[in-house]
Amino acid sequence: MRSAAARFWTGAILFLVLAVLATQTIGNQYPFFAGYVILQFIVLAVAWSILGGYAGYVNFGTSAFFGIGVYTAVFLVKAAEAPLPVQIAAAALVGALLGLGVGLLTLRMQGIYFSIATIALSIIIETLVINWRFVGGAAGIQIQRPPVLPLFDSYVQMLFVVQALLVVLAVAIARYIQNSWIGRGLQAIKDDELAAECTGVPTLRLKLLACVVSGALMCAAGAPAAMYLQYADPSSAFNLNYSVSVLAMSLIGGTAHWIGPVLGAILLGVTQQALAVTISSEVNVLVLGVMLVLFVVGAPEGLIGLIRKLGRKAAAGGA
Amino acid sequence: MFSLDLWLGAIVLGVLLGCFYAAVSVGLSLSFGLLDVPHVAHPAFLVLASYGVYVLNDRYELDPLLAGLAITPLFFLLGLFAYRLYHETFERRGTDAAVRGIAFFFGIAFIVEVLIILQFGVDQRSVTAPYIGRSWRVGDLRIPYRQLVAFAVALSLTAVLTLYLSRTFMGRAIRAVAQDQEALRLMGANPVRVKQWAFGIATAVLGIAGALLIIVAPVEPMLDRAYIGRTFCVVVLAGLGSITGTLVAGIILGVAESIVLTMFGASWAPAIAFTMLLGVLALRPQGLLGRRS
Amino acid sequence: MKRRALLSGLFAVTTIVLTSGAMAQQGPIKIGMSMAQTGGLAGGGKASLLGIEIWRDEVNARGGLLGRKVELVVYDDKSSASETPAIYAKLLDVDKVDLLFAPYATVPTAPLLPLVKQRGLLLMGNFSFQINSKIKHDMWFNNAPWGPADSWAASFLELGKKAGGKTIAMLAADQEFAQNLAQTTREVAKKLGMEIVFDQGYPPNTVEFSSIIRALNAKKPDIIYVASYPPDSAGILRAVNEIGVGDNVKLFGGAMVGLQFAAVMENMGSLLNGVVNYNTWLPEPSMYFDGTKAFFETYTKRAVEAKVDPLGYYIAPYGYAMGQMIEQAVNATKSLDQRGLAKYIRETEHKTIVGPIKFAEDGEWKETATLQAQFRGVKDKNIEQFRTAGKQVILFPEKLKTGDLLAPFEAARK
């Protein structure tokens, strides 16, 4: 056990060091521009998986949480010129509260009703923001960046490292939940909620916890996006594509282990960036949809499942 | 503050609009309401149907309603096939399948959306017909003919379906399979076949519903997102599986939207269906007239 | 023997190094931009691009700029603001372009101002409205003739006031362009002492307008001012045609984008009659300058082949003018230095095919040259009718006027 934790943290610190080194050595900004998006999706997918993967509640409101993260940051910048850490922390807080609210409102619903309810919340929140003139309303808002910290050459590089920090945070939290009694409880809920309740698992509290943590992380991932794009408008920030992408990444990666969403996000994120830039952003969505359908039909346990099967075959073949 | 005329106009148009919403949701009432299939791709198929109608109208100058009828058999076959795929992959395999079933249909919806964009581009498309663009003067009120046409067709569609489900053998089998699959099997009918047939009909109905969609307003590929809320709101509000409930629920939604649109402005319109849906789910999940879920 | 081999080898290497150095200097000058080639703005985007391409071909025929060929790097932004930040990041960091042109229209351009200000880059604007008002970038120059912020709304509302109108109904899409315009309209109305009785927005993808028009009619306005993008402009006109507006409406239109695209004009046909709308260039004698006639001859030929707006009045010549201004600036300063170019563009009066252009502090034209014209006698399904005078009667500005307003609106529609 101790060695597993040691290995994890060594890997995490190595990852962060590499991220910072990259910003010091690579001059071209575009890899960071694209890399930021991929890191952001890793955070979103890992966060989603806490509720959707472990507990089995398919949350379609990822775009709502992401958008709220963006607009919390926009609001703080416009009202108080708040620095980035404050924006992220505030977004996390708002996300936690929102997650709590969503949980209380919808967790008595199951299966598809829960999912549709989360879409409903997404659209309702988007409509509220559209009508909020202070943050630009439907027209959107242009944002100016403050000067960048002396360590980094450009703001995008700094955001890249910030997002890398969030990745480590999200994965650490997901890993903790997975290995603890919380994770086991969520798994019990996923297998058979009624049975879990009967055996004394505090289902409502666990589900609310998952909602709160998931929501906080998703909002935190969205906050830097306002500075990243220097522009925010509701139809982009609340775009349903986020919900579907993150769902696909988690399911394709595999929901049994926290590494699943990470793998899924990297695979799909890189594919998306490559396609959007070379061919078109439509083909990008097509590939997303096709891969989602293929994996959901053919490989229900995702990439993790496939890797395990290959591992077993290799072991059986070798023996 | 607001004139009586305006209110009256809003309500009348709301009723017309509502019947249209019922028509585009009635297929979902069958597939989701009766068969419990998490068919989130229903609006995507609806938009696909409307593009089919567009192509026939644009290329062969076929009246959109006739075009809708023409594609109905194609959509029936699509429904049969889709259900087969869904059943083999998900319904057979137990617990985790629910999550993956929803994901599957979302994936399908996205694929359909993108294929439409790749084929037709992101621009709006509309059809031409003699009844589109003119309106009927009733006193001070002007009612566009296209809304009247949609209203009439929607009512007929609902009536036909209700009769089908209550008078024909297959119709009653469909209602039976929704209530008790085992009993149906014991009576000698194959529930899977019945469900497949029902899904086929639910999808076939989309042919005509798609025609109504493009008659009432121009369509564009991402329109399905606006209709997820509306169709599910209508079906859930109706109470799962009730066709007449769908009509009533549709009218309620239509009138609500129309009043908010006229009195408070268009910026709030997108949220109405979803707000009502959330309300129903939170307060009265069994809807108005449906079976107990 | 060996020495000769060594010397010839040395000679070869030196030649290669020298010529490759020289060849590197001969690389093309890349001008990067995104353009709406699909989506609601494509009608204008494609025409604009053709205008820019015609300029590029002509400048290359003259030897290019600074002895190098001009190359355009263009991506499709699908008329959307969410595509442009990534596209321009790619243009700068991957394609490494030398100069930037903005995309066509306000909405896709809005996200770019903070980006170019932060990186200190010159941006040649393409038909956006008041997009620099909050960012105040000093290297932004708009090719569109809007001029000072409130001149657009003022010209329209003053026409209405002269016709006896006192109350205004405003309908503006919930997007950057229309909302910027709506803001100026409210200020102008206050200055003119006119009352706004209806002021509403609508989501940009609205397709059903009859409810909104009915609510608008209930307020019985004298003047209806609409700020919309091409799909909604068409939808609003159809709704107006379906249910009508009151008989007391004297003036309808103002800022409906799309009614200048040939395809839309042909499609709408007689639905356009009576509408008073803005325009930029119309085939009137006072609008011909050096090179204008030649441009349109080239354009018309190429537009038919490329299946682009066959008239090309509204926006194509302004794309060409962007090229002209950059060409003059680069040739005058003999460099691609962004600050130097910006200084030259700010201080010079440019001679272009759309007339002389002089810029104010904020990057807009010093004087407005926006036309307000009323559609008269338009027939259905006829594109060629718009090449003749009289179909769009110019009501403003005074020096280009060709007729008076026909009011009320319902009468002018017939």
Side-chain angles (χ1 to χ4, degrees), chain A residues 113-188:
Chain A
Y113 293 102
F114 175 75
S115 303
I116 301 283
T118 54
I119 302 182
L121 278 167
S122 226
I123 304 284
I124 292 173
I125 292 175
E126 180 182 350
T127 310
L128 286 171
V129 172
I130 284 180
N131 287 293
W132 190 12
R133 291 265 172 240
F134 182 70
V135 290
I141 187 167
Q142 295 162 319
I143 303 166
Q144 299 211 54
R145 290 177 183 156
V148 70
L149 293 178
L151 186 62
F152 298 102
D153 266 337
S154 84
Y155 209 88
V156 174
Q157 289 179 335
M158 184 182 84
L159 288 179
F160 179 77
V161 171
V162 166
Q163 200 66 242
L165 280 167
L166 285 175
V167 166
V168 169
L169 182 68
V171 169
I173 293 178
R175 181 172 170 274
Y176 173 74
I177 289 182
Q178 179 182 321
N179 293 337
S180 73
W181 63 275
I182 305 173
R184 285 193 288 272
L186 291 174
Q187 181 69 41

Coordinates of all heavy atoms in Angstrom, one line a residue, chain A residues 113-188:
Chain A
Y113 N -33.9 9.7 -15.8 CA -34.5 10.9 -15.3 C -33.5 11.8 -14.7 O -33.5 13.0 -14.9 CB -35.6 10.5 -14.2 CG -36.7 9.8 -14.8 CD1 -36.9 8.5 -14.6 CD2 -37.7 10.5 -15.5 CE1 -38.0 7.8 -15.2 CE2 -38.8 9.9 -16.0 CZ -38.9 8.5 -15.9 OH -40.0 7.9 -16.4
F114 N -32.5 11.2 -14.0 CA -31.4 12.0 -13.4 C -30.7 12.7 -14.6 O -30.4 13.9 -14.5 CB -30.5 11.1 -12.6 CG -29.3 11.8 -12.1 CD1 -29.4 12.7 -11.1 CD2 -28.1 11.6 -12.7 CE1 -28.3 13.4 -10.6 CE2 -26.9 12.3 -12.3 CZ -27.0 13.2 -11.2
S115 N -30.4 11.9 -15.6 CA -29.6 12.5 -16.7 C -30.4 13.6 -17.4 O -29.8 14.7 -17.6 CB -29.3 11.4 -17.7 OG -28.6 10.4 -17.1
I116 N -31.6 13.4 -17.6 CA -32.4 14.5 -18.3 C -32.5 15.7 -17.4 O -32.5 16.8 -17.8 CB -33.8 14.0 -18.7 CG1 -33.7 12.8 -19.6 CG2 -34.6 15.1 -19.3 CD1 -33.4 13.2 -21.0
A117 N -32.7 15.4 -16.1 CA -32.8 16.6 -15.1 C -31.5 17.4 -15.2 O -31.5 18.6 -15.1 CB -33.0 16.1 -13.7
T118 N -30.3 16.7 -15.3 CA -29.1 17.5 -15.4 C -29.0 18.3 -16.7 O -28.4 19.4 -16.6 CB -27.8 16.6 -15.2 OG1 -27.9 15.5 -16.2 CG2 -27.8 16.0 -13.8
I119 N -29.5 17.8 -17.8 CA -29.5 18.6 -19.0 C -30.4 19.8 -18.7 O -30.1 20.9 -19.1 CB -30.1 17.8 -20.2 CG1 -29.3 16.6 -20.5 CG2 -30.1 18.7 -21.4 CD1 -29.8 15.8 -21.7
A120 N -31.5 19.5 -18.1 CA -32.5 20.6 -17.8 C -31.8 21.7 -17.1 O -31.9 22.9 -17.4 CB -33.7 20.1 -17.1
L121 N -31.1 21.3 -16.0 CA -30.4 22.4 -15.2 C -29.4 23.1 -16.1 O -29.2 24.3 -15.9 CB -29.7 21.7 -14.1 CG -30.6 21.4 -12.9 CD1 -30.0 20.5 -11.9 CD2 -31.0 22.7 -12.2
S122 N -28.7 22.4 -16.9 CA -27.7 23.0 -17.8 C -28.3 24.2 -18.6 O -27.8 25.3 -18.7 CB -27.2 22.0 -18.8 OG -25.8 22.0 -18.9
I123 N -29.4 23.9 -19.3 CA -30.1 24.8 -20.1 C -30.7 26.0 -19.3 O -30.5 27.2 -19.7 CB -31.2 24.2 -20.9 CG1 -30.7 23.0 -21.7 CG2 -31.9 25.2 -21.8 CD1 -29.9 23.4 -22.9
I124 N -31.2 25.7 -18.1 CA -31.8 26.7 -17.3 C -30.7 27.7 -16.9 O -30.9 28.9 -16.9 CB -32.6 26.1 -16.1 CG1 -33.8 25.4 -16.6 CG2 -33.0 27.2 -15.1 CD1 -34.5 24.6 -15.5
I125 N -29.6 27.1 -16.4 CA -28.5 28.0 -16.0 C -28.0 28.8 -17.1 O -27.7 30.0 -17.0 CB -27.4 27.1 -15.3 CG1 -27.9 26.5 -14.0 CG2 -26.2 28.0 -15.1 CD1 -26.9 25.6 -13.4
E126 N -27.9 28.2 -18.3 CA -27.4 28.9 -19.5 C -28.3 30.1 -19.8 O -27.9 31.2 -20.0 CB -27.3 28.0 -20.7 CG -26.8 28.8 -21.9 CD -26.8 27.9 -23.1 OE1 -26.9 26.6 -23.0 OE2 -26.5 28.4 -24.2
T127 N -29.6 29.8 -19.7 CA -30.6 30.9 -20.0 C -30.5 32.0 -19.0 O -30.6 33.2 -19.3 CB -32.0 30.4 -20.0 OG1 -32.1 29.2 -20.8 CG2 -33.0 31.4 -20.5
L128 N -30.3 31.7 -17.7 CA -30.1 32.7 -16.7 C -28.9 33.6 -17.0 O -29.0 34.8 -16.9 CB -29.9 32.1 -15.3 CG -31.2 31.5 -14.7 CD1 -30.9 30.7 -13.4 CD2 -32.2 32.6 -14.4
V129 N -27.8 32.9 -17.4 CA -26.6 33.7 -17.7 C -26.8 34.6 -18.9 O -26.3 35.7 -19.0 CB -25.4 32.8 -17.8 CG1 -24.2 33.5 -18.3 CG2 -25.0 32.1 -16.5
I130 N -27.5 34.0 -19.9 CA -27.8 34.8 -21.1 C -28.5 36.1 -20.8 O -28.2 37.1 -21.4 CB -28.6 34.0 -22.1 CG1 -27.8 32.9 -22.8 CG2 -29.3 34.9 -23.2 CD1 -28.6 32.1 -23.8
N131 N -29.3 36.1 -19.8 CA -30.0 37.3 -19.5 C -29.4 38.2 -18.4 O -29.9 39.2 -18.0 CB -31.4 36.9 -19.0 CG -32.3 36.4 -20.1 OD1 -32.6 37.2 -21.0 ND2 -32.6 35.2 -20.1
W132 N -28.1 37.9 -18.1 CA -27.4 38.6 -17.1 C -26.4 39.6 -17.8 O -25.4 39.2 -18.2 CB -26.6 37.6 -16.2 CG -26.0 38.2 -15.0 CD1 -26.2 39.4 -14.4 CD2 -25.0 37.6 -14.1 NE1 -25.5 39.6 -13.3 CE2 -24.7 38.5 -13.1 CE3 -24.4 36.3 -14.2 CZ2 -23.8 38.2 -12.1 CZ3 -23.5 36.0 -13.2 CH2 -23.2 36.9 -12.1
R133 N -26.9 40.8 -17.8 CA -26.2 41.8 -18.7 C -24.8 42.1 -18.1 O -23.9 42.5 -18.8 CB -26.9 43.1 -18.8 CG -28.2 43.0 -19.6 CD -28.0 43.4 -21.0 NE -29.2 43.1 -21.8 CZ -29.2 42.2 -22.8 NH1 -28.2 41.7 -23.2 NH2 -30.4 42.0 -23.4
F134 N -24.6 42.0 -16.8 CA -23.3 42.4 -16.2 C -22.2 41.6 -16.7 O -21.1 42.2 -16.9 CB -23.4 42.3 -14.7 CG -22.2 42.7 -14.0 CD1 -21.8 44.1 -13.9 CD2 -21.3 41.8 -13.4 CE1 -20.7 44.5 -13.2 CE2 -20.2 42.2 -12.7 CZ -19.9 43.6 -12.6
V135 N -22.4 40.3 -17.0 CA -21.3 39.6 -17.5 C -21.4 39.4 -19.1 O -20.8 38.5 -19.7 CB -21.3 38.1 -16.9 CG1 -20.8 38.2 -15.5 CG2 -22.6 37.4 -17.0
G136 N -22.2 40.3 -19.7 CA -22.1 40.4 -21.1 C -23.4 39.8 -21.8 O -23.6 40.0 -22.9
G137 N -24.2 39.0 -21.0 CA -25.4 38.5 -21.6 C -25.1 37.6 -22.8 O -24.0 37.0 -22.9
A138 N -25.9 37.5 -23.7 CA -25.8 36.7 -24.9 C -24.7 37.2 -25.8 O -24.1 36.4 -26.6 CB -27.1 36.5 -25.7
A139 N -24.4 38.4 -25.7 CA -23.4 39.0 -26.7 C -22.0 38.6 -26.3 O -21.1 38.6 -27.1 CB -23.5 40.5 -26.6
G140 N -21.8 38.2 -25.1 CA -20.4 37.8 -24.7 C -19.6 38.9 -24.2 O -20.1 40.1 -24.2
I141 N -18.4 38.6 -23.7 CA -17.7 39.7 -23.0 C -16.2 39.5 -23.3 O -15.7 38.4 -23.3 CB -17.9 39.6 -21.5 CG1 -17.3 40.8 -20.8 CG2 -17.5 38.3 -20.9 CD1 -17.7 41.0 -19.4
Q142 N -15.5 40.6 -23.6 CA -14.1 40.5 -23.9 C -13.3 40.7 -22.5 O -13.7 41.6 -21.8 CB -13.7 41.6 -24.8 CG -14.3 41.5 -26.2 CD -14.2 42.7 -27.0 OE1 -14.5 43.8 -26.5 NE2 -14.0 42.6 -28.3
I143 N -12.3 39.9 -22.3 CA -11.5 40.0 -21.1 C -10.1 40.3 -21.3 O -9.5 39.7 -22.2 CB -11.6 38.7 -20.3 CG1 -13.1 38.3 -20.1 CG2 -10.9 38.8 -19.0 CD1 -13.3 36.9 -19.7
Q144 N -9.5 41.2 -20.6 CA -8.1 41.5 -20.7 C -7.3 40.8 -19.6 O -7.7 40.8 -18.5 CB -7.9 43.0 -20.6 CG -8.6 43.8 -21.7 CD -7.9 45.0 -22.1 OE1 -6.7 45.0 -22.5 NE2 -8.6 46.1 -22.0
R145 N -6.2 40.3 -20.0 CA -5.4 39.5 -19.0 C -4.5 40.5 -18.2 O -4.0 41.4 -18.8 CB -4.5 38.5 -19.7 CG -5.2 37.4 -20.3 CD -4.2 36.5 -21.0 NE -4.7 35.4 -21.7 CZ -4.2 34.8 -22.8 NH1 -3.0 35.3 -23.2 NH2 -4.7 33.8 -23.3
P146 N -4.3 40.2 -17.0 CA -3.3 40.9 -16.2 C -1.9 40.5 -16.7 O -1.7 39.5 -17.3 CB -3.5 40.5 -14.8 CG -4.1 39.2 -14.9 CD -4.9 39.1 -16.1
P147 N -0.8 41.3 -16.4 CA 0.5 40.9 -16.8 C 0.9 39.6 -16.1 O 0.4 39.3 -15.1 CB 1.4 42.0 -16.3 CG 0.6 42.8 -15.4 CD -0.9 42.6 -15.7
V148 N 1.7 38.8 -16.8 CA 2.0 37.4 -16.4 C 3.1 37.4 -15.3 O 3.9 38.3 -15.3 CB 2.4 36.6 -17.6 CG1 3.7 37.0 -18.1 CG2 2.3 35.1 -17.3
L149 N 3.1 36.4 -14.5 CA 4.1 36.2 -13.5 C 5.5 36.1 -14.1 O 5.6 35.5 -15.2 CB 3.9 35.0 -12.6 CG 2.6 35.0 -11.8 CD1 2.5 33.6 -11.1 CD2 2.7 36.1 -10.7
P150 N 6.6 36.6 -13.5 CA 7.9 36.6 -14.1 C 8.4 35.2 -14.4 O 9.3 35.1 -15.3 CB 8.8 37.3 -13.0 CG 8.0 37.4 -11.8 CD 6.5 37.3 -12.1
L151 N 7.9 34.2 -13.8 CA 8.5 32.9 -14.1 C 8.2 32.4 -15.6 O 8.9 31.7 -16.2 CB 7.9 31.8 -13.1 CG 8.5 30.4 -13.2 CD1 10.0 30.5 -12.9 CD2 7.8 29.6 -12.2
F152 N 7.1 32.9 -16.1 CA 6.6 32.4 -17.4 C 6.7 33.4 -18.5 O 6.6 34.6 -18.2 CB 5.1 31.9 -17.3 CG 5.0 30.8 -16.3 CD1 4.5 31.1 -15.0 CD2 5.3 29.5 -16.6 CE1 4.3 30.1 -14.1 CE2 5.1 28.5 -15.7 CZ 4.6 28.8 -14.4
D153 N 6.9 32.9 -19.7 CA 7.0 33.8 -20.8 C 5.7 34.3 -21.3 O 5.6 35.4 -21.8 CB 7.6 33.1 -22.0 CG 9.1 33.3 -22.1 OD1 9.6 34.3 -21.5 OD2 9.8 32.4 -22.7
S154 N 4.7 33.5 -21.1 CA 3.4 33.9 -21.6 C 2.3 33.4 -20.7 O 2.4 32.5 -19.9 CB 3.1 33.4 -23.0 OG 2.6 32.1 -22.9
Y155 N 1.1 34.1 -20.7 CA 0.0 33.8 -19.9 C -0.5 32.3 -20.1 O -0.8 31.6 -19.2 CB -1.1 34.8 -20.1 CG -1.9 35.0 -18.8 CD1 -1.6 35.9 -17.9 CD2 -3.1 34.2 -18.6 CE1 -2.4 36.1 -16.7 CE2 -3.8 34.3 -17.5 CZ -3.5 35.3 -16.6 OH -4.2 35.4 -15.4
V156 N -0.5 32.0 -21.4 CA -1.0 30.6 -21.7 C -0.1 29.6 -21.1 O -0.6 28.5 -20.6 CB -1.0 30.4 -23.3 CG1 -1.4 29.0 -23.6 CG2 -2.0 31.4 -23.9
Q157 N 1.2 29.8 -21.0 CA 2.1 28.8 -20.4 C 1.8 28.7 -18.9 O 1.7 27.6 -18.3 CB 3.5 29.2 -20.6 CG 4.0 29.0 -22.0 CD 5.4 29.5 -22.2 OE1 5.9 30.3 -21.5 NE2 6.1 28.9 -23.2
M158 N 1.5 29.8 -18.3 CA 1.2 29.8 -16.9 C -0.1 29.0 -16.7 O -0.3 28.2 -15.7 CB 1.0 31.2 -16.3 CG 0.8 31.3 -14.9 SD 0.6 32.9 -14.2 CE -1.1 33.2 -14.5
L159 N -1.1 29.3 -17.5 CA -2.4 28.6 -17.4 C -2.2 27.1 -17.6 O -2.9 26.3 -16.9 CB -3.4 29.1 -18.4 CG -4.0 30.5 -18.1 CD1 -5.0 30.9 -19.2 CD2 -4.7 30.5 -16.8
F160 N -1.3 26.7 -18.5 CA -1.0 25.3 -18.7 C -0.5 24.7 -17.4 O -1.0 23.6 -17.0 CB 0.1 25.3 -19.8 CG 0.5 23.9 -20.1 CD1 -0.2 23.0 -20.9 CD2 1.7 23.4 -19.6 CE1 0.2 21.8 -21.2 CE2 2.2 22.1 -19.9 CZ 1.4 21.3 -20.7
V161 N 0.4 25.3 -16.7 CA 0.9 24.8 -15.5 C -0.2 24.7 -14.4 O -0.4 23.8 -13.6 CB 2.1 25.6 -15.0 CG1 2.5 25.1 -13.6 CG2 3.3 25.4 -15.9
V162 N -1.0 25.8 -14.3 CA -2.2 25.8 -13.4 C -3.1 24.6 -13.6 O -3.5 23.9 -12.7 CB -2.9 27.1 -13.5 CG1 -4.3 27.1 -12.8 CG2 -2.1 28.3 -13.0
Q163 N -3.4 24.4 -14.9 CA -4.3 23.3 -15.2 C -3.6 21.9 -14.8 O -4.3 21.0 -14.4 CB -4.7 23.3 -16.7 CG -5.9 22.5 -17.0 CD -7.2 23.1 -16.4 OE1 -7.8 22.5 -15.6 NE2 -7.5 24.3 -16.8
A164 N -2.3 21.9 -15.0 CA -1.6 20.6 -14.6 C -1.7 20.4 -13.1 O -1.9 19.3 -12.7 CB -0.1 20.8 -15.0
L165 N -1.6 21.5 -12.3 CA -1.8 21.4 -10.9 C -3.2 20.8 -10.6 O -3.4 20.0 -9.7 CB -1.7 22.7 -10.2 CG -0.3 23.2 -10.0 CD1 -0.2 24.7 -9.6 CD2 0.3 22.4 -8.8
L166 N -4.2 21.3 -11.3 CA -5.6 20.9 -11.1 C -5.7 19.4 -11.5 O -6.5 18.7 -10.8 CB -6.6 21.7 -12.0 CG -6.9 23.1 -11.4 CD1 -7.7 23.9 -12.4 CD2 -7.5 23.0 -10.1
V167 N -5.0 19.0 -12.5 CA -5.0 17.5 -12.9 C -4.6 16.7 -11.7 O -5.2 15.7 -11.3 CB -4.2 17.3 -14.1 CG1 -3.9 15.8 -14.3 CG2 -4.8 17.8 -15.3
V168 N -3.4 17.1 -11.1 CA -2.9 16.3 -10.0 C -3.9 16.3 -8.8 O -4.2 15.3 -8.2 CB -1.5 16.9 -9.6 CG1 -1.1 16.3 -8.2 CG2 -0.5 16.7 -10.6
L169 N -4.5 17.5 -8.6 CA -5.5 17.6 -7.5 C -6.6 16.6 -7.7 O -7.0 15.9 -6.9 CB -5.9 19.0 -7.4 CG -6.9 19.3 -6.3 CD1 -6.2 19.2 -4.9 CD2 -7.5 20.7 -6.4
A170 N -7.2 16.7 -9.0 CA -8.4 15.9 -9.3 C -8.1 14.4 -9.2 O -8.8 13.7 -8.6 CB -8.9 16.3 -10.7
V171 N -6.9 14.0 -9.7 CA -6.6 12.6 -9.7 C -6.4 12.1 -8.3 O -6.8 11.0 -7.9 CB -5.4 12.4 -10.6 CG1 -4.8 11.0 -10.4 CG2 -5.7 12.6 -12.1
A172 N -5.7 13.0 -7.5 CA -5.4 12.6 -6.1 C -6.7 12.4 -5.4 O -6.9 11.4 -4.6 CB -4.6 13.6 -5.4
I173 N -7.7 13.3 -5.6 CA -9.0 13.2 -4.9 C -9.7 11.9 -5.4 O -10.2 11.1 -4.6 CB -9.8 14.4 -5.1 CG1 -9.2 15.6 -4.4 CG2 -11.3 14.2 -4.6 CD1 -10.0 16.9 -4.7
A174 N -9.7 11.7 -6.7 CA -10.4 10.5 -7.2 C -9.8 9.3 -6.7 O -10.5 8.3 -6.3 CB -10.4 10.6 -8.8
R175 N -8.5 9.2 -6.6 CA -7.8 8.0 -6.1 C -8.1 7.8 -4.7 O -8.4 6.7 -4.3 CB -6.3 8.3 -6.3 CG -5.5 7.1 -5.9 CD -4.0 7.3 -6.3 NE -3.2 6.3 -5.6 CZ -2.7 6.4 -4.4 NH1 -2.9 7.5 -3.7 NH2 -2.0 5.4 -3.9
Y176 N -8.2 8.9 -3.9 CA -8.5 8.7 -2.5 C -9.9 8.1 -2.4 O -10.1 7.2 -1.6 CB -8.4 10.1 -1.8 CG -8.9 10.0 -0.4 CD1 -8.1 9.3 0.6 CD2 -10.1 10.5 0.0 CE1 -8.6 9.2 1.9 CE2 -10.6 10.4 1.3 CZ -9.9 9.7 2.2 OH -10.3 9.6 3.5
I177 N -10.8 8.7 -3.1 CA -12.2 8.3 -3.0 C -12.3 6.8 -3.4 O -13.0 6.0 -2.7 CB -13.2 9.1 -3.9 CG1 -13.3 10.5 -3.2 CG2 -14.5 8.5 -4.0 CD1 -14.3 11.4 -4.0
Q178 N -11.6 6.5 -4.5 CA -11.7 5.1 -5.0 C -11.3 4.1 -4.0 O -11.9 3.1 -3.9 CB -10.9 5.0 -6.3 CG -10.9 3.7 -6.9 CD -10.0 3.6 -8.1 OE1 -10.0 4.6 -8.9 NE2 -9.3 2.5 -8.3
N179 N -10.2 4.4 -3.3 CA -9.6 3.4 -2.4 C -10.2 3.4 -1.0 O -9.9 2.7 -0.2 CB -8.1 3.7 -2.3 CG -7.4 3.4 -3.6 OD1 -7.9 2.7 -4.4 ND2 -6.2 4.0 -3.8
S180 N -11.1 4.4 -0.8 CA -11.7 4.5 0.6 C -13.1 3.9 0.7 O -13.6 3.4 -0.3 CB -11.7 6.0 1.0 OG -12.8 6.6 0.3
W181 N -13.6 4.0 1.9 CA -15.0 3.5 2.1 C -16.0 4.2 1.2 O -17.0 3.7 0.9 CB -15.4 3.6 3.6 CG -15.4 5.0 4.0 CD1 -14.4 5.8 4.5 CD2 -16.6 5.9 4.1 NE1 -14.8 7.1 4.8 CE2 -16.1 7.1 4.6 CE3 -17.9 5.7 3.8 CZ2 -17.0 8.2 4.7 CZ3 -18.8 6.8 4.0 CH2 -18.3 8.0 4.4
I182 N -15.7 5.5 0.8 CA -16.6 6.2 0.0 C -16.7 5.5 -1.3 O -17.8 5.3 -1.9 CB -16.1 7.7 -0.2 CG1 -15.8 8.4 1.1 CG2 -17.0 8.5 -1.1 CD1 -15.1 9.7 0.9
G183 N -15.6 5.1 -1.9 CA -15.6 4.5 -3.2 C -16.4 3.2 -3.1 O -17.1 2.8 -4.0
R184 N -16.2 2.4 -2.0 CA -16.9 1.2 -1.9 C -18.3 1.4 -1.8 O -19.1 0.6 -2.4 CB -16.3 0.4 -0.7 CG -14.9 -0.2 -1.0 CD -14.6 -1.3 0.0 NE -14.3 -0.6 1.3 CZ -13.1 -0.2 1.6 NH1 -12.1 -0.3 0.8 NH2 -12.9 0.4 2.8
G185 N -18.7 2.4 -1.1 CA -20.1 2.7 -1.0 C -20.7 3.1 -2.3 O -21.8 2.7 -2.7
L186 N -20.0 3.9 -3.1 CA -20.5 4.3 -4.4 C -20.7 3.1 -5.3 O -21.6 3.0 -6.1 CB -19.6 5.4 -5.0 CG -19.5 6.7 -4.3 CD1 -18.5 7.6 -4.9 CD2 -20.9 7.4 -4.4
Q187 N -19.7 2.2 -5.2 CA -19.8 1.0 -6.0 C -21.0 0.2 -5.7 O -21.7 -0.3 -6.6 CB -18.5 0.2 -5.8 CG -18.4 -1.1 -6.6 CD -18.2 -0.8 -8.1 OE1 -17.5 0.1 -8.5 NE2 -19.0 -1.5 -8.9
A188 N -21.3 0.1 -4.4 CA -22.5 -0.6 -4.0 C -23.7 0.0 -4.5 O -24.6 -0.6 -5.0 CB -22.5 -0.6 -2.4

